[in-house]
Amino acid sequence: MSPKKSFLPVWVKWFVLVTTFTIACWFLSQWQFSRQAEVVAKNDLIEANYNAGAQPLESLLPVDSEWVSSLEFRSATLSGTYIPEQSYIVRNRPYNAFPGFLQLVAFKTDSGSIIWIERGWLPTGAESDTPDVIPVVDQQPREITIRLRPSEPDLDRTAPQGQLSSIYLDVVSQPLGPNVYTQAYGRLVSETPKLETGQLIAKPLLSEGNHLSYALQWIL
């Protein structure tokens, strides 16, 4: 028996193929345009929050409120004292292409709430599992300015004593009791009186990436 012949002419098959490919390219271009819009919106938010004046912490983010993304990098002021015994270094934090750590210390405000403060980047030391020098904090009253950052996910990884695998604040905050910020932490901008810190993290480089270029390529 001879094999069955297709009832569709060759040109119809090519038409279906080209049409399908064209529709796919169109949707991929729209996806890239959407990604571009998301990046632009995020960059605009970061720029606006960096330019906004600092406000008291609890007026921006009460301790019992949920985190909202519009607060990211917003500057806040607070006064109180560090809690030196509640100090950690956060592992695997490259900065400017160099390996290192972040220092994280609890800070008790004058109102009684506690927030974790990231006090800068520390380069990996002679022993790769720790910095050579970790700045020391005291309990002298201070006024500090921070930029708000959201708590990070739990990576479910173990870390040596005194170190954290991520800035996941739920577990590490348990010894501090109630009234602790677990939804956010503060990136140090300045403090008075001044203490030695790691290298304070600079403003993120704002780039729109290649999404627009990719979108136009899909259209072409």
Side-chain angles (χ1 to χ4, degrees):
M1 295 179 62
S2 60
K4 288 185 178 181
K5 294 183 179 181
S6 173
F7 291 103
L8 293 176
V10 173
W11 70 267
V12 173
K13 295 179 181 179
W14 278 107
F15 178 79
V16 172
L17 177 63
V18 170
T19 301
T20 302
F21 181 72
T22 302
I23 293 173
C25 287
W26 172 257
F27 278 106
L28 286 169
S29 71
Q30 297 308 299
W31 175 65
Q32 289 292 348
F33 280 129
S34 176
R35 293 288 305 277
Q36 166 82 4
E38 291 174 4
V39 171
V40 169
K42 185 172 183 179
N43 288 349
D44 289 346
L45 174 65
I46 293 173
E47 193 69 48
N49 283 352
Y50 259 83
N51 293 332
Q55 294 186 21
L57 171 63
E58 293 186 0
S59 69
L60 284 174
L61 183 68
V63 67
D64 57 352
S65 65
E66 294 185 0
W67 171 256
V68 288
S69 59
S70 60
L71 289 175
E72 188 160 9
F73 294 111
R74 187 69 192 274
S75 58
T77 57
L78 55 158
S79 58
T81 58
Y82 285 109
I83 308 175
E85 64 273 18
Q86 295 294 329
S87 178
Y88 295 88
I89 56 173
V90 186
R91 299 165 57 83
N92 299 322
R93 295 301 165 125
Y95 187 59
N96 291 334
F98 292 97
F101 303 80
L102 295 176
Q103 185 183 29
L104 193 70
V105 185
F107 186 91
K108 186 171 185 178
T109 69
D110 290 338
S111 65
S113 62
I114 297 175
I115 185 169
W116 292 92
I117 306 297
E118 179 243 286
R119 303 191 68 254
W121 178 81
L122 306 171
T124 298
E127 297 182 10
S128 60
D129 212 32
T130 185
D132 283 338
V133 178
I134 301 175
V136 177
V137 299
D138 58 34
Q139 291 182 296
Q140 184 176 348
R142 281 182 168 77
E143 294 182 356
I144 69 174
T145 300
I146 61 173
R147 292 198 182 276
L148 291 170
R149 301 301 318 279
S151 174
E152 298 176 354
D154 182 10
L155 298 181
D156 196 24
R157 298 175 185 169
T158 59
Q161 185 175 3
Q163 299 188 17
L164 302 174
S165 59
S166 73
I167 306 179
Y168 174 69
L169 302 176
D170 284 0
V171 175
V172 75
S173 298
Q174 289 177 2
L176 299 174
N179 216 27
V180 182
Y181 284 85
T182 57
Q183 74 278 47
Y185 66 97
R187 171 169 290 173
L188 184 66
V189 175
S190 63
E191 59 187 4
T192 305
K194 187 174 175 55
L195 283 168
E196 181 183 358
T197 68
Q199 182 177 346
L200 300 183
I201 306 297
K203 177 182 177 181
L205 293 175
L206 303 181
S207 169
E208 296 184 8
N210 297 321
H211 301 297
L212 181 59
S213 173
Y214 291 152
L216 295 177
Q217 289 178 41
W218 281 117
I219 291 175
L220 291 175

